[in-house]
Amino acid sequence: MDTLTRYAQAKIDGLEAQSLARGLKPTHRFDGVRVERGGRQMISFSCNDYLGLSHHPAVKAAAVAAIGLYGAGAGASRLVTGDHPLYGRLEARLADLKSAEAACVFGSGYLANAGIIPTFAGPGDLVVVDELAHACIWAGARLSGAEVVAFRHNDVGDLAAKLAQARRAAGHALVTTDGVFSMDGDIAPLDAISQVAREHSAWLMVDDAHGLGVLGGGAGTARLFPDAHIDLHMGTLSKAIGGYGGYVCATAPAIELIKMRARTLVYTTGLPPASVAAALAALDVIADEPARVAAPLAKSRRFTAALGLPEAQSAIVPIVLGAAEAALAAAAALEAEGLLVVPIRPPTVPAGTARLRIAFTAGHPDEAVDRLADAVRPWLAR
Ligand SMILES: *Cc1c(COP(=O)(O)O)cnc(C)c1O
């Protein structure tokens, strides 16, 4: 074995010994709910396709039509020749939805965060991040070269303390948080966070990957906090929107600067036209179908009520089991009943908090939600 291969095998062996090994499992998704894995049909509670739009006929038709008109790929970076005509329409729609002046669409949410944060923070600056914020916020913060400080999850007092400690020495400061936390399903107190940020002359970026299309009538988490001042509204087109891509909404000059300087926009090929067209069609569905938008939260609340858990705040409900082995065992038991809930283990979540992360979507029949609650109940008592 050469040394690189030996290194890889030793790392894998170590992960396996800790029940932290992972692997890809081919999954055929028939719609937002039914999947086939390993020859078995199951109901998935692990897709972020909250509104089932990845398989919506109008969304698929828009993607197909865009391929016919503009081809399968963008052909170049958006700054070269990849800025096909659908981009402007999508950015206008997103800006409108977020009551912002302008928007910029990226290749993915991860690319967006890795590009936005270094556009506004660099060496000598300060980035303050909720400790449970998504991995790509951390990636962008570290990439920026700024000082990066964590504050305790949703703890506005700790945020204020961290800013009081580090703000003065920094050039400018950026506070970033998820709107809805991806592995916990809780919501950031954006009004209080915004107030503290302003008191310390810090900017605020909110990553609303799991709020868009689900909360605030589809507009996202910020709609629940009308008094919050949010400088950068970031999100993804890959969850409730059902396709692929990321975005940020802000003032026109902020967006103009991002389009000039964000390296994950400048030095990468534009999204395929089909993805942009699909997102536009998905936003039409969200605007036209308030009942679909309301459904994921209704399903998650039906589930938490059935189990006597604190009322769900979003479409995501965590069942924290602690040890990685416990999460694996619980997920295997659910799978045996035809319910797919992928276990989430460190490093995606902090050590000792392995969990079932349950995501509810508009297409889940109430009967399936109730069946899941019955199947999860025995695991709560342990
Ligand atoms: C999924 C997710 C992202 C990444 O978005 P992609 O479009 O999948 O790259 C960013 N932030 C949060 C909070 C997420 O959950």
Side-chain angles (χ1 to χ4, degrees):
M1 237 192 252
D2 60 62
T3 58
L4 181 142
T5 308
R6 200 161 347 109
Y7 168 80
Q9 193 58 57
K11 289 292 255 194
I12 293 165
D13 293 347
L15 290 168
E16 275 172 354
Q18 299 172 73
S19 297
L20 295 180
R22 303 176 179 201
L24 300 176
K25 297 196 177 124
T27 305
H28 181 156
R29 298 178 63 247
F30 298 100
D31 53 28
V33 170
R34 290 177 311 122
V35 303
E36 187 181 300
R37 236 187 197 195
R40 289 196 54 217
Q41 288 226 10
M42 291 184 275
I43 296 176
S44 169
F45 288 93
S46 285
C47 301
N48 297 318
D49 188 9
Y50 297 116
L51 303 175
L53 296 182
S54 69
H55 284 72
H56 190 287
V59 175
K60 292 200 285 189
V64 170
I67 291 175
L69 265 177
Y70 302 112
S77 163
R78 292 190 61 193
L79 272 96
V80 182
T81 58
D83 195 40
H84 47 80
L86 296 169
Y87 263 120
R89 283 176 49 203
L90 178 57
E91 288 176 344
R93 282 293 295 275
L94 289 166
D96 189 48
L97 189 66
K98 294 289 181 181
S99 306
E101 285 175 14
C104 177
V105 169
F106 284 79
S108 73
Y110 197 112
L111 289 172
N113 278 334
I116 298 161
I117 298 173
T119 300
F120 294 101
D125 298 325
L126 173 68
V127 181
V128 191
V129 186
D130 185 289
E131 62 183 348
L132 295 187
H134 193 265
C136 61
I137 292 182
W138 288 97
R142 295 203 178 103
L143 209 51
S144 75
E147 183 188 358
V148 183
V149 174
F151 68 97
R152 279 201 299 275
H153 177 53
N154 276 352
D155 184 335
V156 180
D158 192 49
L159 170 63
K162 295 287 158 59
L163 281 167
Q165 212 165 51
R167 175 68 187 95
R168 202 175 301 275
H172 43 249
L174 175 69
V175 174
T176 71
T177 180
D178 293 16
V180 173
F181 285 84
S182 57
M183 295 299 138
D184 295 82
D186 54 347
I187 293 177
L190 296 179
D191 44 1
I193 288 175
S194 145
Q195 196 184 331
V196 168
R198 298 213 108 186
E199 280 163 13
H200 291 84
S201 310
W203 302 320
L204 175 59
M205 181 178 93
V206 175
D207 175 339
D208 208 25
H210 298 277
L212 181 71
V214 176
L215 299 182
T221 312
R223 192 57 62 91
L224 307 178
F225 300 95
D227 295 334
H229 177 89
I230 299 165
D231 297 284
L232 297 159
H233 293 266
M234 175 272 165
T236 178
L237 307 173
S238 326
K239 287 165 182 160
I241 303 295
Y244 201 61
Y247 68 86
V248 60
C249 301
T251 63
I255 294 299
E256 199 177 346
L257 181 66
I258 286 168
K259 287 180 176 171
M260 289 181 194
R261 299 304 296 272
R263 298 177 67 86
T264 55
L265 182 85
V266 176
Y267 296 107
T268 190
T269 301
L271 275 175
S275 297
V276 179
L280 272 164
L283 289 170
D284 283 340
V285 175
I286 288 172
D288 293 347
E289 298 186 27
R292 183 191 292 264
V293 169
L297 187 59
K299 304 284 176 189
S300 62
R301 289 186 167 166
R302 182 182 180 93
F303 177 80
T304 52
L307 290 178
L309 297 170
E311 183 175 65
Q313 297 176 40
S314 71
I316 302 163
V317 177
I319 305 289
V320 177
L321 296 172
E325 292 80 1
L328 287 170
L334 296 182
E335 248 191 78
E337 297 188 41
L339 304 166
L340 179 62
V341 183
V342 176
I344 307 289
R345 292 167 284 161
T348 304
V349 293
T353 70
R355 67 195 66 185
L356 300 173
R357 174 206 182 258
I358 304 170
F360 293 92
T361 73
H364 282 129
D366 284 344
E367 168 276 319
V369 174
D370 296 345
R371 206 146 61 77
L372 180 70
D374 288 340
V376 165
R377 191 171 290 114
W379 294 92
L380 290 176
R382 304 194 181 198

